[in-house]
Amino acid sequence: GIMICVECGRPVNDLYKEFGAGSGNIRLTHCEYCRQPADKYVEHDAVILFLDLFLHRPQAYRHFLFNKMEYHDRGIDVQYLKVLLVYVFFEAYAKWFKMREYCEYEHPKSFLYDYSIKDDVPLGRYWFILGMSFAEFVVFILAICTVVHVFLRKRYAIVKYNYLAMSLILSSFGKSLLVLMMVWEYQSSF
């Protein structure tokens, strides 16, 4: 596949050279243009990559999108769609939880949510919120792609919208931290 320098974004032939087949002795390739190691994340632990993704470092995104996975000329990789599904489930759960908490404590009977002992987990409402969360994320991706198309079309000859969508999905991984809401209770008023 196509590999790029994570520092400048230019194509490179390889990321490292291995000395002795299967020995694990490698030497990172340096980019011809910027003279930096083409991909420092080859040697880094997954925790470092996760932290750099969390800090939104472009080098980490370039490594993950271009050097870690197979090149896709069209379409979104199935792994990203699975991750998107998990994000949407977490976001829908957080919204459902907040709405349930709000309606239960502030407005026991509401037109949005009729909470009662018999209806402790309104599954129908959760599916509605799940659908809305998915629609929100799709509209978000389409809006960003439209803005890029309108404002950056003349600046760049080729724009890979599938990679733009995959980078938006990847950059939303902070939503997975919503799982902490399921484990620890928190005061929403702090």
Side-chain angles (χ1 to χ4, degrees):
I2 297 174
M3 292 176 276
I4 65 167
C5 171
V6 297
E7 300 297 330
C8 67
R10 297 226 168 99
V12 294
N13 293 329
D14 53 13
L15 302 176
Y16 60 89
K17 301 216 185 294
E18 186 173 359
F19 298 100
S23 67
N25 295 327
I26 64 170
R27 181 172 179 247
L28 294 179
T29 304
H30 283 71
C31 177
E32 297 174 4
Y33 300 100
C34 67
R35 306 284 182 220
Q36 297 291 323
D39 192 347
K40 62 186 176 185
Y41 293 103
V42 170
E43 290 186 325
H44 289 150
D45 193 30
V47 173
I48 302 297
L49 178 61
F50 175 78
L51 289 173
D52 284 354
L53 285 171
F54 188 73
L55 295 171
H56 294 293
R57 296 220 167 115
Q59 296 89 349
Y61 284 94
R62 288 180 189 139
H63 166 77
F64 208 88
L65 288 168
F66 295 101
N67 297 341
K68 188 90 171 159
M69 60 180 262
E70 291 291 322
Y71 176 76
H72 293 281
D73 195 36
R74 293 175 186 238
I76 297 175
D77 190 71
V78 171
Q79 298 301 325
Y80 284 90
L81 294 176
K82 290 177 183 177
V83 168
L84 173 62
L85 190 62
V86 170
Y87 292 165
V88 170
F89 270 111
F90 283 146
E91 186 173 348
Y93 176 78
K95 288 178 180 179
W96 174 80
F97 185 78
K98 293 287 275 180
M99 186 169 84
R100 180 175 169 218
E101 183 180 77
Y102 174 75
C103 292
E104 180 180 342
Y105 296 115
E106 298 294 326
H107 303 284
K109 298 289 183 187
S110 162
F111 73 93
L112 289 175
Y113 184 73
D114 186 13
Y115 182 81
S116 68
I117 301 296
K118 297 176 195 168
D119 192 25
D120 190 29
V121 181
L123 194 57
R125 307 252 189 217
Y126 180 76
W127 290 115
F128 174 75
I129 295 169
L130 180 68
M132 291 302 293
S133 296
F134 183 75
E136 286 174 4
F137 203 82
V138 168
V139 167
F140 170 69
I141 289 175
L142 291 175
I144 297 294
C145 288
T146 302
V147 168
V148 167
H149 179 73
V150 169
F151 291 107
L152 299 177
R153 169 178 45 170
K154 294 177 183 171
R155 184 185 236 183
Y156 299 105
I158 299 172
V159 176
K160 292 289 192 179
Y161 293 102
N162 60 334
Y163 276 90
L164 179 59
M166 286 188 284
S167 65
L168 289 170
I169 293 169
L170 185 61
S171 68
S172 299
F173 81 95
K175 292 180 183 190
S176 63
L177 297 176
L178 291 174
V179 75
L180 297 176
M181 283 178 51
M182 291 185 253
V183 179
W184 291 288
E185 289 189 30
Y186 70 97
Q187 296 290 333
S188 60
S189 60
F190 74 94

